[in-house]
Amino acid sequence: MSYHGLLSNSLETKIGVPQGSVLGPVLFAIYINDIDYLELRGKNVLYADDICLVYTCSNVDALISDMQSDLIVVNQYISAKKFLINVGKSKHIIFSSIQRHITTNQVISLNGQPIERVQTYRYLGLNIDCHLNWQSHVELIVQKINPIVRILYRLRDDVTVKTCMLIYYSLIESHFNYMANIWGTCAQNVINKLEVLQNRALKIYGNCQHSPPPLNYMKLPTFYPSNC
C-alpha cells in the first residue's frame, strides 16, 4: 500500500484473505465461489460469509437426514479451505403451518456438537419465525421505532418540518420498507401495530393533537406493506 509516497511493509498471505482490506470481500467471494458446485440435497443461499441451506420435504426425519448429510459435505469443503464453521452461531429451523406442531428426536450435529433448533432466527436483518407469520419481525420493528417516535415528540418544537421529515424517512420509514415485499404479507392485525406507530409519528410531524394529517397532503405514501 502506498500513501503520500510511503510504502507499507509487504506481507505474504498463503491462505485465506486479509481482513479489513478493500479487496477482502471480493477476494473472499472468489475464494469460496466454487461452493455452488458441491453436490448438496438442499439449495445453497450464500451472502458473503453467511451460508444458508434451504430444503423442501414432507417427512421431517428425511429432512433432518438431508440436512445432516449436507452439513458434513459443507464442513469438509470449509475445512479444506482452512476455515471453521462456528457451531455456536449455526442454527436450524423447521417451517410448518401454525396448526401443525412438528416434533422429532433426531439431532443435527457437527463434530459432536449439536446444531440448535430455533423457532425464530434473524437472518440479514429479517426475523424469520417457524410459522412465517412475521409477528416476531414486526415486534422487532416496533422495538426499534418506539424510541425514535419518543425522541421525535421531544424535538417537535425545536426542529424544522424538513428536519422532522428527514428523521422520519431515515429512522422510521426505512424500517417499514426494508424487505417489506417479504414480511408485508402478514395478517392485518399484525400490520396494525405499525400503522399505529406511523400515525403517532405523523401527528408529531403535522403538530396535530388528535388525528394525523392526510397522507397525500404530507406527501407520504399510505402504509400498506402487504401491497409492496
Side-chain angles (χ1 to χ4, degrees):
M1 178 181 292
S2 175
Y3 181 73
H4 288 291
L6 299 176
L7 293 176
S8 62
N9 297 328
S10 61
L11 179 64
E12 181 180 1
T13 301
K14 296 183 179 180
I15 195 168
V17 296
Q19 290 186 342
S21 63
V22 175
L23 285 176
V26 177
L27 293 175
F28 180 82
I30 296 173
Y31 189 61
I32 64 170
N33 185 59
D34 56 345
I35 193 173
D36 283 333
Y37 294 100
L38 295 179
E39 294 184 2
L40 301 175
R41 301 178 184 181
K43 180 182 179 181
N44 177 30
V45 180
L46 184 66
Y47 183 85
D49 59 346
D50 287 324
I51 300 176
C52 180
L53 297 175
V54 183
Y55 302 83
T56 301
C57 188
S58 58
N59 185 288
V60 64
D61 292 332
L63 175 67
I64 292 180
S65 177
D66 288 346
M67 295 166 69
Q68 182 67 69
S69 176
D70 282 357
L71 187 58
I72 294 174
V73 174
V74 172
N75 186 51
Q76 291 173 346
Y77 170 85
I78 294 295
S79 298
K81 295 287 187 179
K82 305 300 181 183
F83 290 145
L84 291 175
I85 295 179
N86 191 325
V87 179
K89 290 185 177 180
S90 300
K91 313 292 180 184
H92 78 277
I93 183 170
I94 300 178
F95 299 104
S96 67
S97 64
I98 197 170
Q99 293 83 11
R100 185 182 179 189
H101 183 66
I102 297 179
T103 59
T104 178
N105 294 325
Q106 293 197 51
V107 177
I108 303 174
S109 62
L110 179 62
N111 299 327
Q113 301 182 56
I115 303 295
E116 180 187 4
R117 177 184 173 183
V118 295
Q119 302 299 310
T120 303
Y121 186 74
R122 188 175 182 183
Y123 183 66
L124 301 180
L126 183 67
N127 260 29
I128 306 174
D129 60 90
C130 62
H131 300 306
L132 295 180
N133 56 28
W134 306 113
Q135 290 190 34
S136 62
H137 184 71
V138 170
E139 290 296 336
L140 176 66
I141 297 177
V142 170
Q143 291 175 15
K144 289 181 177 180
I145 292 179
N146 256 327
I148 306 301
V149 174
R150 288 196 294 266
I151 292 174
L152 202 58
Y153 179 79
R154 295 172 184 173
L155 295 176
R156 69 190 187 282
D157 296 327
D158 300 317
V159 296
T160 63
V161 172
K162 183 177 180 180
T163 300
C164 191
M165 281 306 301
L166 181 63
I167 295 174
Y168 175 84
Y169 275 115
S170 59
L171 300 180
I172 297 179
E173 185 75 14
S174 58
H175 291 296
F176 291 157
N177 291 334
Y178 183 69
M179 292 193 181
N181 58 328
I182 298 177
W183 61 265
T185 57
C186 60
Q188 185 61 41
N189 65 316
V190 179
I191 292 293
N192 287 342
K193 299 178 182 179
L194 299 182
E195 291 181 335
V196 169
L197 278 178
Q198 186 191 45
N199 287 336
R200 286 176 56 193
L202 294 181
K203 287 179 184 179
I204 299 170
Y205 171 79
N207 198 22
C208 301
Q209 298 298 322
H210 302 292
S211 60
L215 293 178
N216 57 352
Y217 174 77
M218 308 306 288
K219 297 181 180 180
L220 288 173
T222 303
F223 181 64
Y224 287 121
S226 57
N227 294 331
C228 296

